[in-house]
Amino acid sequence: MEIDLSTVPGRAVLHHCRTRDGSRFALIVRADGTRQIVVYHRVGHDAPLQTLTLEPDEADRLAELLHSAPIRDRVAELERRIDELSGERGPA
């Protein structure tokens, strides 16, 4: 995925994204914490097809769904790795 970052100082951060198949969307992170997902036509139109506005808690829930593994699984994997590293060092 190609991602271009731009900012509107004091107002928002814009992440313009293009997927491998050519789909285009943007994630706008506003200063108040809301996020907007803007979906564009694939080619030739800069006008959005649709804009979704997410409150911070909604964005968190969507982010959890988009992760390839749930947070609890990722934390468990990190704990396992830490245990392995601790075991490699031997007793203190």
Side-chain angles (χ1 to χ4, degrees):
M1 178 181 320
E2 295 175 29
I3 302 173
D4 294 317
L5 176 71
S6 59
T7 61
V8 179
R11 301 191 57 135
V13 176
L14 291 82
H15 305 267
H16 299 275
C17 307
R18 183 181 304 272
T19 64
R20 286 186 190 113
D21 74 355
S23 298
R24 299 182 312 136
F25 68 96
L27 173 63
I28 302 169
V29 181
R30 301 208 175 272
D32 67 1
T34 59
R35 270 91 167 135
Q36 289 181 299
I37 299 172
V38 181
V39 180
Y40 296 98
H41 289 276
R42 197 175 274 229
V43 179
H45 296 92
D46 287 332
L49 282 171
Q50 185 169 5
T51 300
L52 305 169
T53 300
L54 302 172
E55 296 296 325
D57 64 314
E58 295 172 316
D60 289 342
R61 292 187 69 193
L62 179 58
E64 174 64 20
L65 290 172
L66 291 173
H67 280 290
S68 57
I71 289 175
R72 70 177 162 268
D73 291 349
R74 290 182 286 146
V75 169
E77 175 64 17
L78 289 172
E79 288 173 342
R80 184 188 63 74
R81 288 181 183 180
I82 290 170
D83 288 344
E84 287 176 357
L85 290 172
S86 297
E88 289 178 7
R89 291 184 191 144

